[in-house]
Amino acid sequence: MEKNERSTPIPGKEKEVDIINIKGIEDIGYVQPDSILLNSLTPEENTQCQHGLYFQDGERRVDYILTYHIKKPSSSRSNRQSSRFTDNAFTRSLRRGTARLGRPPPPQPRGDPEVASQDHSMDYHEDDKRYRREEFEGNLRDMGLELEKDEDTKTPGVGFVKIHAPWHVLCREAEFMKLKMPTKKVYEVKQCSGVGAKINTLVNKATEPLHPNVEENRGQHVKHLSYAFSREKQHFNPSRCSLFQLLYEEWASYSVFYKYQPIGLVRKYFGEKIGLYFAWLGLYTQMLIPASLVGVIVFLYGCATVDNNIPSMEICHPRNNITMCPLCDRACNYWKLKEACGTARASHLFDNPATVFFSIFMALWAAMFMEHWKRRQMRLNYEWDLTGFEEEEVSDHPRAEYELCVMQKSLKKEHKTQKVLISYSWVFTIGVTFAIVFGVILYRISITAALHMSNNPTTRSNVRLMVKTTAAIINLVVILILDEVYGAVARWLTVLEVPKTDRSFEERLIFKTFVLKFVNAFTPIIYIAFFRGRLVGRPGSYLYVFESYRMEECAHGGCLMELCIQLSITMLGKQLIQNNLFEIGIPKLKKLIRYIKSKRRSFQEEEREKKLQRYETDHFLEPFAGLTPEYMEMIIQFGFVTLFVASFPLAPLFALLNNIIEIRLDAKKFVAELRRPVAARAKDIGIWYNLLRGVAKVAVIINAFVISFTSDFIPRLVYQYMYSPDGSMHGFVNHTMSYFNVSDFQDGKEPMDPHHLGYQVEMCRYKDYREPPWSNTPYVVSKEFWAVLAARLAFVIVFQNVVMLMSDIVDWLIPDIPKDISLQIHKEKILMVELFMKEEQGKMQFIDSMTPCDGKGRNNHAPIARSRSIPHTHSHTHANNF
């Protein structure tokens, strides 16, 4: 056996539910997560663990392993359990045989009643699992599989069932599934010519160092014609290569982070479903490169123009004597506008005209990414012979809790109760998120007032920064905790709904998990972007929560800076802590716990590893939990990159850096840390594509509102073209602030130290468009407010429609199927028809040759030989095993 091959997964991938992962497998004693495919071995390990990879005869290869827990019987009960086990295995079949012959069954042995009662209470469940395992294993044998048990292992309390799929079973299942395999019939793949060929040659030479050193990346000018597998035809057998070693060296190593992924090898080793995930992740990471470059340019533009920004210069001018109203009641004092100089300059880094361009660019980038992925997916379907593949719905679901809910569904009244429970659960779960956000708001309000009362001048001068940062960290911790809780809640809600099929269960679970985690991650950000500072009121008439907590205001530079802080901390924290630290630390911790539970001591580990069979070693690896967590973290990251990119242009750069590590981290996890998952076929990424499209559409709307309402982009334009005397931004800061007479403060709300600035304050300023106190309608919103509001709404409508129109144009211009792939598919169809015609001619000539007339049959042997020399094989994941 070669070192790269783990084991041959049982064919019939859609039928694996019927063969291995049958309904109720946990109930019969097997530990389903421990149902493993063997990891690959080096030649030395292969020699040491020969009987771990083969049956005891050394010839039949282990394709699949089932594990189950063994309850070690005491010596006093060992014989009784053994006798009952033998009685169950032998006498039941004997009773069935005698019943068919019309004879009464043999009498059952009677034991002591007290002993029987004690055994019944202690061993009933173990016996039931053992008996059901027998029946299950009998069903496997009926399917043609060969089994061998191994309970005498170095792993205490665990038994193993080795499964071997004979050749005829593999062929039968391949025929049943109509698996397409490459034939010996080859045709030339059309190559570009002219200028296109020269450009492709230059690109290939430039990117040659980026390709992994594997056979599949070498140029291929011919392709094997693929056709459904048939036992009646000869088949082309692809050469076997060291897949595991290549994947470990050229994919799962951090030293090759700059290279493309060997997607073809990933698909051959793990199946199409996992191959598509890594292909999508690789394309997404590549597309982040231009987005990151443009984001960095936008950020550098803000850095370069901050000294020339007139509003910031006016705020920071040393002669600026504008007195601002207090930021909180009683504890806060009057302050000078120039104290907000740092915040104003920092806000310009993310609130400048370039961010509008970047928002439009990112909307088009998302559209191009979606179209590029559709083309990439179609090319992979063609290369992997999945163009005619259709997924089958599987109605049997391997979950005991699912079976329980299926039985409960038959009760109409209970089903209605479940619907009500699901609705209340949704409301409660979303309500928890809003309640936590509200709690953080109260934290910011109370801490702000407390810090302003501090005697330390440094603390008082950095109140805003301290409150923003600590509140963002609290939000991050809560998000990480609730993510785990909401994952369990989403599964519970899905189980209550009782979907009819496996696919329906998975899609509903994914959708619920996405909604809950999306709301959890983005609710604090949405509050800061669209609600903070808008429900404040004005001096003398502020809005209070619980009649004592005054709603918080934005800094003079706007809430965009605080939005950037919240977004960056949440994004980076989730990526560093949840996506990377948890993925590395938790699997290792679980592996350590499993070793401790098995009573293995560290000083015996090296010697023990030499004695362990290969399947015992794989038993201690982390079970494969599906691709949902991997996709989910990337979809949430996609939201961070697109939804609020106007406030954080560096988001694509941080996502790119994270994904470069994420690809190799996931690769190493799949190759070395997880049990090899059962290969599954898929022609697309399923519901995840729809979620991506939804996020991309929502991103256009959110960025339009961020630019219009959160930033000062629209007020600056309105002032410059409607109110500025010279068409410049001079006087903009004064234009956006209103006057307040301090004598109009409510009793008990004025500052405790009115002479904090060294003089008596009569008028203070606050950011808003309101009439001055000396007007006929004091403190009423002014006409400037309505002009700015109208401009903001107009911008949202124009921005949204223009960007979506441009996205639709991009969608229309880029075809879903690459032209060369379309031509090759058409060419394959023609060749397939010709092949069928030749085979039909051969059959007809053979029939004619069997007819006793004129000896014409002598001339018909050549076509028969030719027809049999045209084999059909298959380029699927398990082609190496045929």
Side-chain angles (χ1 to χ4, degrees):
M1 179 178 179
E2 296 180 355
K3 63 183 177 181
N4 62 295
E5 297 297 321
R6 285 187 179 179
S7 67
T8 306
I10 297 172
K13 294 166 188 170
E14 282 77 19
K15 298 297 292 180
E16 281 167 353
V17 172
D18 300 326
I19 297 177
I20 295 298
N21 298 326
I22 67 167
K23 177 175 59 180
I25 193 170
E26 296 94 337
D27 292 342
I28 63 178
Y30 292 116
V31 184
Q32 186 173 350
D34 292 352
S35 302
I36 55 177
L37 297 176
L38 295 181
N39 286 324
S40 301
L41 292 177
T42 62
E44 295 77 10
E45 291 175 317
N46 190 13
T47 302
Q48 296 172 0
C49 300
Q50 180 72 14
H51 294 292
L53 296 174
Y54 289 84
F55 278 27
Q56 291 297 325
D57 55 17
E59 297 179 358
R60 289 175 295 173
R61 180 178 169 185
V62 176
D63 296 321
Y64 203 88
I65 294 288
L66 292 175
T67 69
Y68 55 94
H69 294 301
I70 302 174
K71 184 178 180 181
K72 293 295 183 180
S74 61
S75 58
S76 61
R77 301 192 339 251
S78 178
N79 293 332
R80 291 196 303 271
Q81 290 179 344
S82 177
S83 65
R84 286 199 305 274
F85 183 83
T86 306
D87 173 76
N88 176 75
F90 174 73
T91 60
R92 281 193 304 171
S93 60
L94 180 60
R95 286 195 295 271
R96 287 195 297 265
T98 54
R100 285 195 299 267
L101 294 174
R103 296 194 297 267
Q108 297 297 315
R110 295 187 177 181
D112 180 64
E114 294 183 2
V115 175
S117 176
Q118 181 181 6
D119 290 345
H120 183 272
S121 61
M122 296 180 63
D123 302 327
Y124 172 78
H125 294 292
E126 291 299 320
D127 290 345
D128 181 64
K129 290 181 179 180
R130 186 187 306 114
Y131 301 155
R132 296 177 69 181
R133 279 201 301 267
E134 284 183 54
E135 185 176 2
F136 174 60
E137 291 165 5
N139 292 336
L140 295 182
R141 292 188 179 94
D142 292 341
M143 294 291 294
L145 303 177
E146 299 175 1
L147 277 63
E148 183 178 87
K149 281 191 175 183
D150 185 6
E151 296 185 353
D152 186 19
T153 65
K154 304 296 187 301
T155 306
V158 179
F160 298 89
V161 177
K162 307 174 191 176
I163 300 177
H164 170 70
W167 171 252
H168 70 275
V169 174
L170 297 174
C171 294
R172 181 191 68 204
E173 294 296 326
E175 272 191 339
F176 178 77
M177 295 179 60
K178 299 180 181 179
L179 296 181
K180 296 175 69 175
M181 298 182 65
T183 68
K184 288 184 179 178
K185 176 69 175 178
V186 297
Y187 63 93
E188 184 178 0
V189 178
K190 187 177 180 180
Q191 303 293 322
C192 298
S193 58
V195 179
K198 293 181 180 179
I199 294 176
N200 286 338
T201 302
L202 292 176
V203 172
N204 290 334
K205 287 184 178 179
T207 59
E208 186 175 358
L210 303 179
H211 289 281
N213 187 24
V214 295
E215 186 71 23
E216 68 165 13
N217 288 310
R218 299 176 184 176
Q220 297 181 356
H221 302 288
V222 295
K223 188 179 187 296
H224 291 271
L225 186 64
S226 298
Y227 184 60
F229 177 82
S230 174
R231 282 175 281 188
E232 297 177 357
K233 299 179 176 64
Q234 299 176 5
H235 288 272
F236 171 74
N237 291 314
S239 60
R240 300 165 72 95
C241 58
S242 180
L243 291 182
F244 181 80
Q245 193 67 22
L246 282 175
L247 286 175
Y248 194 84
E249 295 176 354
E250 299 293 334
W251 184 51
S253 175
Y254 291 105
S255 61
V256 294
F257 72 92
Y258 60 93
K259 291 186 177 182
Y260 294 109
Q261 300 180 85
I263 295 298
L265 297 185
V266 177
R267 170 252 179 178
K268 288 180 181 179
Y269 197 67
F270 293 106
E272 285 82 357
K273 195 169 187 178
I274 294 177
L276 281 173
Y277 163 71
F278 280 103
W280 174 84
L281 180 57
L283 179 64
Y284 171 49
T285 304
Q286 292 175 32
M287 292 292 291
L288 283 173
I289 295 176
S292 302
L293 291 176
V294 177
V296 170
I297 292 173
V298 169
F299 178 75
L300 293 178
Y301 170 83
C303 295
T305 58
V306 66
D307 292 331
N308 300 323
N309 182 40
I310 295 176
S312 298
M313 294 170 61
E314 289 183 348
I315 294 176
C316 299
H317 198 280
R319 294 183 180 180
N320 187 345
N321 291 321
I322 298 178
T323 302
M324 302 298 295
C325 296
L327 298 175
C328 62
D329 294 337
R330 302 293 293 168
C332 300
N333 297 312
Y334 301 107
W335 57 286
K336 292 293 185 179
L337 180 60
K338 61 184 178 182
E339 296 178 18
C341 175
T343 304
R345 290 174 61 87
S347 297
H348 178 74
L349 301 178
F350 307 100
D351 185 7
N352 55 71
T355 57
V356 180
F357 159 76
F358 189 54
S359 299
I360 299 175
F361 170 82
M362 288 302 295
L364 299 179
W365 172 87
M368 293 186 66
F369 166 59
M370 302 302 296
E371 293 303 311
H372 195 9
W373 168 245
K374 284 195 291 187
R375 291 168 60 86
R376 173 66 170 156
Q377 186 173 258
M378 190 61 203
R379 185 177 296 277
L380 292 176
N381 285 340
Y382 168 72
E383 294 175 355
W384 297 350
D385 293 322
L386 294 171
T387 50
F389 167 71
E390 295 294 337
E391 294 186 40
E392 296 181 4
E393 293 282 358
V394 181
S395 58
D396 290 334
H397 206 284
R399 297 176 178 86
E401 57 182 354
Y402 187 85
E403 289 184 304
L404 177 61
C405 287
V406 169
M407 291 186 293
Q408 292 175 345
K409 188 179 180 181
S410 60
L411 302 176
K412 185 177 180 180
K413 182 177 180 180
E414 189 168 352
H415 183 53
K416 291 182 179 180
T417 305
Q418 288 179 357
K419 284 187 175 180
V420 175
L421 180 59
I422 291 172
S423 301
Y424 279 117
S425 300
W426 272 105
V427 174
F428 175 77
T429 305
I430 302 299
V432 168
T433 302
F434 289 138
I436 292 175
V437 172
F438 184 71
V440 176
I441 293 173
L442 295 182
Y443 162 81
R444 279 199 293 254
I445 295 173
S446 58
I447 292 299
T448 299
L451 292 179
H452 273 291
M453 298 176 66
S454 174
N455 295 326
N456 190 337
T458 305
T459 302
R460 290 197 303 269
S461 61
N462 295 287
V463 168
R464 283 186 176 273
L465 180 61
M466 295 173 62
V467 172
K468 292 175 185 177
T469 306
T470 55
I473 294 174
I474 291 174
N475 275 323
L476 171 63
V477 173
V478 171
I479 288 172
L480 295 179
I481 295 174
L482 288 185
D483 265 356
E484 303 301 320
V485 175
Y486 286 166
V489 170
R491 174 170 290 275
W492 176 68
L493 292 175
T494 308
V495 169
L496 286 180
E497 290 182 354
V498 196
K500 294 182 179 180
T501 63
D502 232 8
R503 183 175 180 179
S504 177
F505 184 95
E506 182 181 12
E507 289 182 350
R508 293 189 185 194
L509 175 61
I510 290 172
F511 180 75
K512 288 180 178 60
T513 306
F514 169 76
V515 170
L516 292 176
K517 292 193 174 184
F518 185 89
V519 171
N520 181 41
F522 289 99
T523 298
I525 299 172
I526 291 175
Y527 163 75
I528 295 174
F530 303 125
F531 296 99
R532 184 178 179 184
R534 317 217 175 261
L535 305 174
V536 177
R538 61 169 179 82
S541 181
Y542 284 114
L543 179 65
Y544 290 88
V545 180
F546 302 138
E547 298 183 356
S548 57
Y549 294 97
R550 176 177 139 186
M551 291 298 293
E552 52 188 348
E553 303 178 48
C554 292
H556 186 78
C559 283
L560 201 66
M561 187 60 196
E562 184 170 351
L563 177 62
C564 176
I565 293 175
Q566 179 69 57
L567 188 64
S568 59
I569 291 179
T570 303
M571 181 180 179
L572 295 178
K574 281 180 66 67
Q575 290 182 166
L576 294 176
I577 299 175
Q578 190 176 46
N579 298 352
N580 293 330
L581 183 61
F582 284 5
E583 286 189 12
I584 296 174
I586 290 181
K588 292 186 178 297
L589 181 61
K590 289 183 177 179
K591 186 177 180 180
L592 177 62
I593 292 174
R594 282 195 294 271
Y595 274 122
I596 295 175
K597 285 185 176 180
S598 63
K599 300 178 182 179
R600 295 166 183 255
R601 299 180 181 177
S602 59
F603 65 87
Q604 297 176 337
E605 186 165 336
E606 183 178 353
E607 187 66 24
R608 183 188 67 253
E609 290 292 340
K610 295 180 181 179
K611 297 178 181 180
L612 285 179
Q613 303 283 16
R614 186 61 199 180
Y615 47 82
E616 294 182 85
T617 303
D618 286 358
H619 174 71
F620 289 97
L621 296 178
E622 182 71 13
F624 175 65
L627 289 172
T628 299
E630 313 298 334
Y631 273 115
M632 190 63 67
E633 66 181 75
M634 289 296 107
I635 297 295
I636 297 297
Q637 184 199 86
F638 183 77
F640 283 118
V641 169
T642 56
L643 290 177
F644 294 91
V645 72
S647 62
F648 191 38
L650 296 180
L653 175 63
F654 290 119
L656 173 64
L657 297 177
N658 174 81
N659 288 3
I660 292 174
I661 301 174
E662 180 75 18
I663 290 177
R664 305 305 163 179
L665 179 65
D666 284 348
K668 192 166 186 179
K669 180 173 66 175
F670 272 81
V671 171
E673 299 292 336
L674 296 179
R675 299 169 191 162
R676 184 184 179 187
V678 177
R681 301 182 80 195
K683 63 186 303 182
D684 53 44
I685 61 175
I687 192 176
W688 299 109
Y689 181 80
N690 297 329
L691 295 177
L692 282 170
R693 287 188 65 88
V695 171
K697 296 294 185 184
V698 173
V700 176
I701 301 173
I702 287 185
N703 279 298
F705 276 94
V706 168
I707 295 172
S708 181
F709 286 90
T710 308
S711 74
D712 282 338
F713 177 74
I714 298 301
R716 286 197 296 263
L717 286 181
V718 171
Y719 174 79
Q720 185 174 2
Y721 293 104
M722 292 183 62
Y723 299 104
S724 176
D726 55 359
S728 68
M729 293 302 297
H730 290 286
F732 171 74
V733 174
N734 185 67
H735 176 77
T736 59
M737 292 189 298
S738 301
Y739 288 89
F740 177 74
N741 192 329
V742 299
S743 62
D744 294 332
F745 270 124
Q746 295 175 336
D747 293 338
K749 304 298 183 181
E750 66 278 359
M752 291 185 295
D753 185 8
H755 298 86
H756 172 73
L757 297 178
Y759 56 87
Q760 179 69 34
V761 177
E762 297 181 357
M763 289 284 181
C764 64
R765 308 288 295 273
Y766 62 99
K767 188 176 181 180
D768 204 349
Y769 292 100
R770 291 183 180 272
E771 296 291 342
W774 55 80
S775 68
N776 295 328
T777 54
Y779 308 127
V780 176
V781 291
S782 62
K783 60 181 181 179
E784 289 86 355
F785 170 84
W786 300 110
V788 172
L789 179 61
R792 282 173 165 167
L793 294 176
F795 176 83
V796 169
I797 296 173
V798 172
F799 182 91
Q800 173 185 337
N801 287 278
V802 169
V803 173
M804 286 192 173
L805 177 62
M806 295 173 68
S807 300
D808 291 339
I809 292 175
V810 171
D811 191 356
W812 177 71
L813 289 177
I814 303 177
D816 294 346
I817 304 177
K819 186 177 181 180
D820 60 328
I821 297 299
S822 180
L823 294 175
Q824 297 301 334
I825 292 176
H826 181 68
K827 187 174 182 179
E828 277 196 3
K829 290 181 179 179
I830 297 176
L831 293 175
M832 191 65 68
V833 172
E834 293 178 358
L835 183 62
F836 284 155
M837 295 299 294
K838 289 182 180 180
E839 287 187 352
E840 191 65 24
Q841 285 181 348
K843 291 179 182 178
M844 295 301 295
Q845 291 175 1
F846 177 75
I847 293 174
D848 293 340
S849 68
M850 300 300 293
T851 305
C853 59
D854 300 335
K856 292 182 181 180
R858 291 192 303 266
N859 299 326
N860 293 332
H861 294 293
I864 296 173
R866 285 195 299 270
S867 66
R868 292 190 177 185
S869 66
I870 302 175
H872 310 278
T873 60
H874 155 68
S875 65
H876 194 268
T877 305
H878 307 306
N880 289 341
N881 300 319
F882 284 126

